[in-house]
Amino acid sequence: MAKFNHFRAFSDEELAFVSGFKTGELVADRGTTVLLEGSDSAHLYTVLDGWGFRFKTLNDGRRQILNYLLPGDLVGLQSSLLGEMQHSVETLTPMTLCVFEREKMPVLFEKHASLGFDVTWIAAREERILDEHLLSIGRRSAIERAAYLLAFLYRRAKMLNQLNGQNAIPLTQQHIADTLGLSIVHTNKTLRKLADKKMIAWRDRGCAVLDFDGLSEIAGWTEAPSTNRPFI
């Protein structure tokens, strides 16, 4: 499983609260729907190991992938604070999640300000990532979008030791199309251009990044400086 650096050490009181907040662990197979749009979940999760993604679906079945989930990310925070889920969550690989009781979330903010700050920090980081994704869909060309997505996910996965045995990101071309807002045909042509440039290669279960710097240059993307982060 991935290892994380905390901004700070938990106090004994905070450790006791988190231990009581936790109800167990959930191991989900590849392709499992962990949370469903419109549902009202009794639980909040932290990803301990594996890949997943958040998505919304139109009435006609078309899907938009909003973001990808990796170890350290919170799952179901929206439901915990606002009621029913406004998006669904599905696993890309077998995933291990830490399960927390949703009803104890208000107590966390009320009595443990530092833990509440940690949750806020994680949510703010998610918003920053979504800002970059929106910029990509709105302003980057198709090849720039694909280059950004693969470079971004590769860097996150490498830092968390979440690349598979073939050193590949566990995505299909359909996942990429649903993330970039492109047709599968357009996505295939775009990814072929990156493959022809020897920047990526397709493996059995995913896409291997061969030239991270080249992808970043095409996307016009500069990686934000790495910092320690909270892990609940």
Side-chain angles (χ1 to χ4, degrees):
M1 292 187 181
K3 296 181 180 179
F4 306 97
N5 295 317
H6 295 186
F7 279 133
R8 58 183 177 75
F10 283 168
S11 68
D12 291 341
E13 183 181 1
E14 288 170 338
L15 284 172
F17 175 79
V18 171
S19 296
F21 190 20
K22 178 181 176 180
T23 63
E25 291 186 3
L26 171 68
V27 179
D29 292 333
R30 180 174 179 264
T32 299
T33 299
V34 177
L35 290 171
L36 185 64
E37 187 174 353
S39 66
D40 192 357
S41 175
H43 299 109
L44 170 72
Y45 308 91
T46 294
V47 180
L48 298 178
D49 193 50
W51 287 73
F53 61 93
R54 298 195 302 109
F55 67 96
K56 290 181 71 70
T57 305
L58 295 175
N59 291 336
D60 61 6
R62 285 178 294 169
R63 180 177 69 179
Q64 176 66 50
I65 293 178
L66 306 171
N67 202 0
Y68 291 86
L69 299 166
L70 284 162
D73 291 341
L74 288 174
V75 180
L77 180 61
Q78 182 188 69
S79 176
S80 295
L81 299 178
L82 301 177
E84 70 178 31
M85 292 295 297
Q86 300 299 309
H87 59 259
S88 299
V89 174
E90 183 177 315
T91 60
L92 268 172
T93 68
M95 177 181 276
T96 304
L97 302 121
C98 185
V99 185
F100 298 101
E101 292 184 46
R102 168 186 170 179
E103 63 182 16
K104 291 188 178 180
M105 179 61 73
V107 180
L108 182 149
F109 283 96
E110 179 183 353
K111 297 188 175 181
H112 301 280
S114 295
L115 290 175
F117 176 83
D118 288 347
V119 172
T120 303
W121 187 94
I122 293 170
R125 176 177 173 275
E126 169 83 3
E127 182 178 1
R128 186 183 70 185
I129 291 172
L130 291 176
D131 286 348
E132 187 70 31
H133 290 352
L134 181 59
L135 169 66
S136 193
I137 291 174
R139 293 301 176 185
R140 287 185 172 108
S141 67
I143 194 169
E144 289 169 343
R145 291 185 214 178
Y148 160 73
L149 177 66
L150 294 172
F152 170 77
L153 291 178
Y154 173 79
R155 179 56 73 191
R156 282 199 70 198
K158 187 173 182 180
M159 290 177 64
L160 295 170
N161 193 29
Q162 290 293 306
L163 296 170
N164 64 25
Q166 296 178 315
N167 206 37
I169 302 168
L171 303 181
T172 66
Q173 292 194 16
Q174 187 64 61
H175 289 122
I176 294 174
D178 289 346
T179 306
L180 302 183
L182 301 173
S183 70
I184 189 66
V185 173
H186 196 173
T187 299
N188 178 271
K189 291 179 180 178
T190 301
L191 294 173
R192 193 179 306 139
K193 292 177 183 177
L194 294 176
D196 289 344
K197 294 176 182 292
K198 307 299 182 185
M199 292 184 175
I200 64 171
W202 287 96
R203 309 301 190 200
D204 290 341
R205 279 202 173 183
C207 179
V209 171
L210 307 179
D211 186 354
F212 170 79
D213 291 336
L215 291 174
S216 299
E217 183 177 353
I218 287 177
W221 174 64
T222 301
E223 181 185 9
S226 60
T227 59
N228 289 340
R229 57 159 296 167
F231 176 60
I232 296 177

